[in-house]
Amino acid sequence: MKYIKQLCMIAAVCLVAEAMEYFIPLPVAASIYGLLIMLVLLLTKVIKLEMVEDVADFLSGNMAIMFIPPTVGIMACVEEMKAMLVPLFVISIVSTILIMAVTGKVSQFIIRKTKREEK
Amino acid sequence: MQELLSNSTYFAVVLTLICFQIGIWFKKKTGWAVATPLLTATIIIIAALLIFDIPYESYKEGAEIISFFLTPATVCLAIPLYRQIELLKKYPKAIFGGIIAGVLTTMVSIFVMSLAFGLNHQQYVTLLPKSITTAIGMGISEKMGGIVTITVVSISITGILGNVIAESFLKFLKIEEPIAKGLAIGTASHALGTTKAMEMGEVEGAMSSLSIVVTGILTVLAISVFAPLI
């Protein structure tokens, strides 16, 4: 029963998020509205952590499995890919590496600066 | 055989779950950073579908029950975020500074490389949303007139790469702060990278989830500035 209640709570948030996606004309997915709604509900204590915790940890802890089907989808668009194969791979790979390095370095720099100032 | 498997309700589900377990076993056995269960499972599944001559569409239909959980699971990323909200209050400058720097890097690097490769407007806007979560990325690509399937491929390459290299690459760069690690992973490689961040630790996972949301929103804004450039 505990799990059913938790799942119901999460599904209800998804339902509201789906409605927001439908009515708000932005290219933003339901899952992002849902994440924001859930966060606001937790912060305002409308939902307590223990009301969703177990099912939520199970779902977010097993996300890798859920990505398998869309990733396998790569095999279905081989033809469209051929036209821009080299730029597609080079740009995807190089920019990912750059973004990871820049974001990591910048935030680490600011964190360490903040820590030093505290001391 | 081929017909039976194509029409089966459970074949895709069983195949996916078995291949994922093989992926976990393979990762444990080899210890290779690149052997993420997602990558291993994807390769085995594609091979199996090709061998048994099963079209992707029938696999997708069967596996829908698994990908169905992506939306609720993304919603549940709010929980680690909530648990770590004190960090957000403590280091707002580092968190937003890092993510904004990351989003600008995305836009500028894709713009420069698209120019270098001589891509047209359609191909350029196809790649612009590559570092954000599939659901938002598809929406942007469609709205901007990009090729949605290729956007999805680019997002997948980005996610798998982020998932695979995150641990060793961040070590190589001497990025040791858990907050910085999580931000770097989430900003560069969305939810797929976040699964890696969750394995690395609660703080990393929470920061990575936060980055997905903030990066997604900032990218929507940034793209409207950068898209008309090519």
Side-chain angles (χ1 to χ4, degrees):
Chain A
M1 193 58 194
K2 184 175 88 177
Y3 296 116
I4 301 291
K5 269 188 191 159
Q6 296 195 2
L7 188 61
C8 174
M9 199 79 80
I10 295 164
V13 171
C14 293
L15 177 66
V16 176
E18 205 178 29
M20 285 175 72
E21 187 191 20
Y22 182 79
F23 287 111
I24 302 172
L26 284 175
V28 174
S31 53
I32 301 300
Y33 289 126
L35 204 167
L36 292 172
I37 299 170
M38 185 64 96
L39 186 62
V40 169
L41 292 177
L42 286 166
L43 288 173
T44 54
K45 316 272 178 211
V46 175
I47 289 184
K48 285 190 204 106
L49 204 51
E50 56 270 21
M51 288 160 78
V52 286
E53 205 166 25
D54 305 281
V55 173
D57 284 341
F58 173 77
L59 286 176
S60 56
N62 288 294
M63 277 180 89
I65 301 173
M66 303 164 199
F67 276 102
I68 296 175
T71 310
V72 171
I74 288 180
M75 68 182 281
C77 49
V78 175
E79 284 307 314
E80 291 103 317
M81 269 171 62
K82 276 184 187 161
M84 54 184 293
L85 201 61
V86 176
L88 171 66
F89 273 87
V90 172
I91 295 178
S92 301
I93 291 170
V94 174
S95 68
T96 305
I97 291 172
L98 282 175
I99 300 157
M100 200 178 273
V102 170
T103 311
K105 281 289 181 192
V106 169
S107 47
Q108 176 154 290
F109 175 78
I110 305 176
I111 291 166
R112 296 209 162 147
K113 211 177 131 214
T114 316
K115 279 187 180 167
R116 273 199 304 275
E117 280 166 5
E118 276 173 2
K119 283 172 194 164
Chain B
M1 181 74 171
Q2 188 261 349
E3 208 184 310
L4 175 71
L5 294 181
S6 290
N7 295 323
S8 162
T9 315
Y10 300 105
F11 173 67
V13 175
V14 174
L15 179 70
T16 307
L17 294 180
I18 288 178
C19 289
F20 189 73
Q21 291 175 71
I22 295 175
I24 290 175
W25 169 82
F26 186 65
K27 164 98 205 192
K28 233 185 203 162
K29 195 90 184 164
T30 59
W32 298 341
V34 46
T36 106
L38 173 73
L39 188 59
T40 313
T42 303
I43 293 169
I44 305 174
I45 293 169
I46 292 182
L49 296 181
L50 292 175
I51 290 167
F52 291 107
D53 195 23
I54 299 165
Y56 170 66
E57 288 310 314
S58 8
Y59 167 77
K60 190 184 162 199
E61 219 170 276
E64 209 122 80
I65 180 85
I66 294 176
S67 37
F68 163 83
F69 284 101
L70 262 180
T71 299
T74 309
V75 171
C76 291
L77 289 176
I79 281 84
L81 201 56
Y82 172 73
R83 289 195 191 117
Q84 302 295 332
I85 203 80
E86 290 309 313
L87 283 177
L88 180 65
K89 288 180 185 159
K90 201 170 171 195
Y91 298 107
K93 271 189 211 157
I95 291 168
F96 288 102
I99 296 177
I100 290 170
V103 172
L104 286 177
T105 309
T106 314
M107 295 295 129
V108 174
S109 64
I110 295 173
F111 171 67
V112 171
M113 285 187 279
S114 297
L115 270 187
F117 279 110
L119 297 187
N120 60 32
H121 176 76
Q122 189 188 32
Q123 292 168 323
Y124 167 63
V125 294
T126 297
L127 296 178
L128 272 181
K130 60 158 274 289
S131 277
I132 57 180
T133 189
T134 316
I136 310 182
M138 282 170 73
I140 296 182
S141 177
E142 202 176 353
K143 217 169 182 172
M144 294 287 165
I147 311 158
V148 178
T149 43
I150 299 188
T151 300
V152 174
V153 174
S154 181
I155 293 175
S156 305
I157 297 173
T158 301
I160 292 174
L161 181 73
N163 188 305
V164 168
I165 65 166
E167 225 162 359
S168 38
F169 184 59
L170 291 173
K171 204 181 220 174
F172 169 76
L173 289 175
K174 299 205 171 57
I175 293 170
E176 290 137 359
E177 296 288 339
I179 299 176
K181 282 187 194 169
L183 292 171
I185 297 173
T187 306
S189 51
H190 54 89
L192 240 165
T194 300
T195 60
K196 185 61 176 195
M198 300 277 283
E199 287 165 32
M200 290 165 71
E202 171 106 358
V203 175
E204 286 90 333
M207 288 301 119
S208 195
S209 327
L210 172 71
S211 312
I212 299 175
V213 182
V214 181
T215 307
I217 295 166
L218 288 178
T219 303
V220 174
L221 300 174
I223 282 184
S224 49
V225 177
F226 275 84
L229 296 182
I230 289 185

